[in-house]
Amino acid sequence: MGICELRNNLWVFPPSRDSAGGSAWLLQSALGCSVLVDVPLLNDANKAFLQAQPPGLILLTHRGGHGQCQRWQEFLGWPVLLQEQEAYLLPTLQQRFCFSRNHSIEPGLNLLWTPGPSPGSCALHWSQGTNDVLFCGRLLWPAVGGGVVLRGSNNNFHWPRLQRSVQQLEAWLPQGSPAQIACAAGLGTLRGSKLIEQGAQALQLRTTANAGN
């Protein structure tokens, strides 16, 4: 399984063993910036693909998605953006930029701090042109049969805080958004699809799993 092009400005990478089976995404913004959401496996195919893209940045949505981030930055020369509470995990990066609660990369590319899966987890809302996609990291997972699930585990920063993060996310998103949700893991549940459709409805009808763990 290789890199999957979903449209001419959005791709998803195969799951990476360096990120506990997580999937990275790449989008091309309206201003021509490449945004790598988490990092894929460091291999020749992924290196050749990303080297051919316009310059951009690496966005880390949760600590489980860091993978071999430093080696990727050394190869691409792109700056890394992450929430400030997880900056200490990558102390030797040459170009490391942090944000606190909210951040705008450019108009229509906005970040929100969503602690729960890890202390510095964040979500990216891409709302440019016909694109209306929420990149949620591991805050939300694809649910069997459709929709999304809020999953608790022993690795959660704090279960009530995770729940509050989703509530804050809903309040932060424009009404009716997102049209689609891009998760960082569990894409096999979607049986070939990569994006969760009718994202706003999926958020409203979300379920929970392992909430007591």
Side-chain angles (χ1 to χ4, degrees):
M1 181 173 62
I3 301 164
C4 179
E5 182 176 5
L6 303 180
R7 43 186 178 265
N8 63 5
N9 56 4
L10 180 63
W11 298 262
V12 62
F13 293 83
S16 170
R17 61 177 177 269
D18 293 331
S19 301
S23 296
W25 300 78
L26 178 76
L27 67 89
Q28 301 289 355
S29 79
L31 297 182
C33 177
S34 298
V35 180
L36 182 61
V37 183
D38 299 319
V39 296
L41 188 66
L42 189 71
N43 61 23
D44 290 342
N46 291 342
K47 288 169 70 175
F49 173 75
L50 286 170
Q51 194 173 38
Q53 306 307 315
L57 62 87
I58 299 170
L59 168 67
L60 301 176
T61 65
H62 62 293
R63 66 185 174 204
H66 291 191
Q68 297 193 51
C69 180
Q70 181 154 337
R71 291 184 62 189
W72 270 115
Q73 186 196 55
E74 292 168 354
F75 174 74
L76 293 170
W78 298 359
V80 174
L81 175 64
L82 73 168
Q83 206 278 335
E84 62 186 8
Q85 293 203 38
E86 293 183 1
Y88 76 94
L89 296 170
L90 297 165
T92 60
L93 289 180
Q94 295 302 306
Q95 298 181 76
R96 185 188 65 181
F97 299 94
C98 306
F99 72 99
S100 178
R101 293 188 175 275
N102 303 86
H103 181 73
S104 179
I105 298 171
E106 65 180 61
L109 272 177
N110 299 307
L111 288 162
L112 177 70
W113 177 41
T114 55
S118 66
S121 292
C122 65
L124 170 69
H125 185 215
W126 181 28
S127 56
Q128 296 177 329
T130 60
N131 302 295
D132 182 12
V133 184
L134 175 69
F135 298 86
C136 65
R138 297 196 181 193
L139 181 70
L140 299 163
W141 296 68
V144 176
V148 294
V149 61
L150 186 62
R151 179 181 294 179
S153 76
N154 292 330
N155 293 324
N156 283 153
F157 179 48
H158 193 251
W159 175 252
R161 195 165 195 177
L162 189 151
Q163 293 176 304
R164 287 196 297 271
S165 287
V166 177
Q167 293 167 357
Q168 292 167 0
L169 179 66
E170 288 185 291
W172 174 75
L173 288 164
Q175 187 173 6
S177 287
Q180 298 170 310
I181 297 176
C183 299
L187 302 189
T189 303
L190 298 175
R191 300 192 177 191
S193 299
K194 304 300 181 182
L195 293 162
I196 296 168
E197 302 294 340
Q198 299 179 326
Q201 183 180 10
L203 271 172
Q204 292 176 353
L205 300 177
R206 65 185 179 275
T207 56
T208 60
N210 302 322
N213 293 340

